Amino acid sequence: MRTALRSHVGKVRQINEDQAWFGQVNGHALAAIVADGMGGHRAGEVASGLTVNSIVESLQNWDNFELGADAIPSLREIIRTANTTVFETASLNEQYHNMGTTVVMAMISQGSGLIGYIGDSRAYRIRSGQLEQLTEDHTLVNELTKSGQLSLEEAAQHPRRNVLTRALGTDPEVAIDVQVIDWQIGDRLLLCSDGLSGMVEDELIQATLEQSELNLEQQAERLIELALEAGGDDNITVIIIADDAGANATGGGTA
């Protein structure tokens, strides 16, 4: 498996409040995490950083690599621990009051994987020329769209499209979505903050991931460029995972 990670502050924000990481977990599974922090006075940066650090620490102590349905409670507990860490830090420090973060993470091993998430950072899988969004945005606009109160076109332009209905660290308890996915040779997985998905259409994302003349790092760079060309209104973070031969994951990275 090959992996590329890129992050950019964008054209508007002064601080990059996104945090991301990928690496092997005890030499077995490949794990990847994207967190998009929120809160004033650098609190978003603190929330996303605490989240990624907490999850990575928990993963290093997790020895269950049968990534099927039986592993769902374990992954939920790992994300729940991160939620407690962020919430308690905010409760004890006035300058971090109400800070929080989105999080989307993936674990891939031996033909299967897990996706866990809260908020509107996304996971996409591309397979056989089809791009599939694996996550569901925890946003007000998505809830209104599902209930039929907004069309997809109205949702895309809605002034409150970035309002979250769920975030990590803002409450002592939070609902965590976890799902099992199958994983095949030739698949690609994209994890991203909404600095990409909110600015670049799915068709352009798919076309970039299918550009065979670009290597994985160049594809990641191109996705960042597309978000900047569209305005760069937010921080932008992408992780791409590609399984071209079913090889074991190597290396690691952070941003």
Side-chain angles (χ1 to χ4, degrees), residues 147-168:
S147 66
Q149 298 179 62
L150 288 177
S151 67
L152 291 176
E153 292 76 15
E154 290 170 333
Q157 302 299 323
H158 199 281
R160 302 188 69 192
R161 61 186 177 274
N162 295 323
V163 174
L164 299 177
T165 55
R166 256 190 264 174
L168 186 148

Side-chain angles (χ1 to χ4, degrees), residues 1-229:
M1 264 184 276
R2 298 177 296 118
T3 310
L5 185 163
R6 294 291 185 274
S7 189
H8 195 285
V9 69
K11 292 184 175 181
V12 176
R13 304 294 179 90
Q14 299 299 311
I15 298 170
N16 191 344
E17 295 185 319
D18 289 356
Q19 296 281 340
W21 174 91
F22 74 87
Q24 283 182 295
V25 180
N26 293 337
H28 296 278
L30 173 66
I33 311 162
V34 171
D36 178 358
M38 59 187 186
H41 306 292
R42 306 183 75 98
E45 181 184 31
V46 172
S48 60
L50 286 171
T51 296
V52 171
N53 290 340
S54 173
I55 291 173
V56 171
E57 181 178 352
S58 295
L59 288 175
Q60 300 303 336
N61 296 317
W62 188 24
D63 58 5
N64 176 13
F65 293 100
E66 297 297 326
L67 297 181
D70 290 345
I72 288 176
S74 296
L75 188 59
R76 276 208 177 98
E77 185 58 33
I78 285 171
I79 299 175
R80 188 174 292 115
T81 297
N83 183 77
T84 299
T85 297
V86 175
F87 180 78
E88 290 183 350
T89 300
S91 299
L92 295 171
N93 295 273
E94 185 176 349
Q95 69 268 35
Y96 299 147
H97 180 64
N98 281 337
M99 74 175 176
T101 184
T102 71
V103 66
V104 59
M105 64 173 295
M107 296 187 69
I108 306 292
S109 178
Q110 299 176 346
S112 64
L114 290 175
I115 304 289
Y117 63 99
I118 302 170
D120 61 354
S121 293
R122 293 181 178 179
Y124 295 89
R125 179 179 57 199
I126 188 165
R127 173 184 292 170
S128 303
Q130 297 294 321
L131 183 74
E132 178 185 6
Q133 183 179 331
L134 301 175
T135 53
E136 181 179 339
D137 294 346
H138 297 143
T139 61
L140 174 63
V141 163
N142 188 46
E143 292 296 325
L144 294 174
T145 303
K146 289 195 299 180
S147 66
Q149 298 179 62
L150 288 177
S151 67
L152 291 176
E153 292 76 15
E154 290 170 333
Q157 302 299 323
H158 199 281
R160 302 188 69 192
R161 61 186 177 274
N162 295 323
V163 174
L164 299 177
T165 55
R166 256 190 264 174
L168 186 148
T170 57
D171 295 287
E173 299 291 337
V174 66
I176 302 160
D177 287 358
V178 180
Q179 60 180 284
V180 179
I181 64 168
D182 68 300
W183 184 253
Q184 300 177 6
I185 294 174
D187 284 355
R188 293 199 173 192
L189 187 72
L190 169 68
L191 304 184
C192 65
S193 60
D194 68 337
L196 176 72
S197 59
M199 302 297 295
V200 182
E201 295 181 355
D202 286 0
E203 292 79 5
L204 278 175
I205 292 174
Q206 178 174 340
T208 301
L209 295 175
E210 290 181 328
Q211 285 188 272
S212 57
E213 69 274 15
L214 301 180
N215 63 34
L216 216 61
E217 291 75 15
Q218 290 170 328
Q219 289 178 355
E221 291 284 3
R222 181 57 185 151
L223 290 174
I224 297 288
E225 290 171 2
L226 287 170
L228 292 173
E229 290 168 5

